[in-house]
Amino acid sequence: MTQQGAPRDAPVPLEHGAQNAARGPVTGDPAACAPSGRDSAAWGPSDGDSAAQGDPAAQDGAAIDVTAPRARTYRVGGYTVVELHGEIDIAGVGSVGPALDAATAGDEPAVIVDLRPAAFFDCSGLGMLCRAHRRVGERAGRMRLVCDNALILRTLRAGRMLDVLHPVATLDEALRTEE
């Protein structure tokens, strides 16, 4: 495979994520294939931040990969807030979806989904939000969406979800908003 306009024997440069995928696990450990080399199924009970769970680098104060998908869940007032961090795409939905499913379970869930920390959000994330919205509606709950990113708002608009999810720019706004 060659890059267009390059000599035939020139290799195609790989994107950052593709370079890591091409390397594969060095140890042969299947857990090394999980995002950031962590196996989320092996983590025990958590404080809600999937980046710090079982990750020695995060516990030592080392930098966390901002593109790695993760969810941080906490309570504010009567709401469960689910912050979605990193790249929320087809590969990332599997990492953050369970946190959103947990927040939308039970009777009359009150959930705020905060997309401000998300670095990227595509139609896979949109499908995840639709699922969460449907689950909350089926359980007579409330769901708010916090988003101030123009590109993510454009994705919501293209999916015709702006009028359904009614995003607001801040967490305070979401806490004040009552339908």
Side-chain angles (χ1 to χ4, degrees):
M1 180 179 211
T2 61
Q3 185 174 9
Q4 194 170 18
R8 279 191 181 252
D9 58 344
V12 175
L14 295 175
E15 297 171 348
H16 175 69
Q19 288 173 343
N20 292 338
R23 287 188 192 120
V26 176
T27 63
D29 179 12
C33 293
S36 302
R38 299 184 310 262
D39 180 9
S40 60
W43 301 338
S46 70
D47 64 355
D49 188 352
S50 64
Q53 301 171 7
D55 185 354
Q59 293 169 357
D60 292 338
I64 296 173
D65 181 4
V66 295
T67 62
R70 63 186 178 93
R72 178 175 176 250
T73 304
Y74 58 94
R75 299 278 301 169
V76 172
Y79 285 90
T80 300
V81 179
V82 181
E83 285 181 356
L84 301 181
H85 296 254
E87 296 180 353
I88 311 302
D89 56 11
I90 194 165
V93 166
S95 298
V96 298
L100 201 51
D101 283 348
T104 59
D107 294 331
E108 299 181 13
V111 180
I112 296 175
V113 179
D114 191 349
L115 295 178
R116 292 175 301 170
F120 178 79
F121 188 87
D122 71 2
C123 60
S124 299
L126 188 61
M128 181 181 63
L129 286 182
C130 289
R131 173 183 160 83
H133 184 263
R134 178 185 49 80
R135 287 170 51 97
V136 167
E138 289 171 350
R139 293 166 173 81
R142 300 172 304 205
M143 181 172 148
R144 307 283 185 259
L145 181 66
V146 179
C147 179
D148 60 0
N149 182 308
L151 293 175
I152 295 174
L153 290 170
R154 181 184 294 173
T155 301
L156 293 169
R157 183 177 301 112
R160 299 180 188 255
M161 293 304 292
L162 278 182
D163 293 334
V164 175
L165 298 174
H166 307 287
V168 295
T170 67
L171 185 58
D172 287 337
E173 254 183 289
L175 291 167
R176 285 192 310 259
T177 305
E178 287 297 324
E179 293 179 330

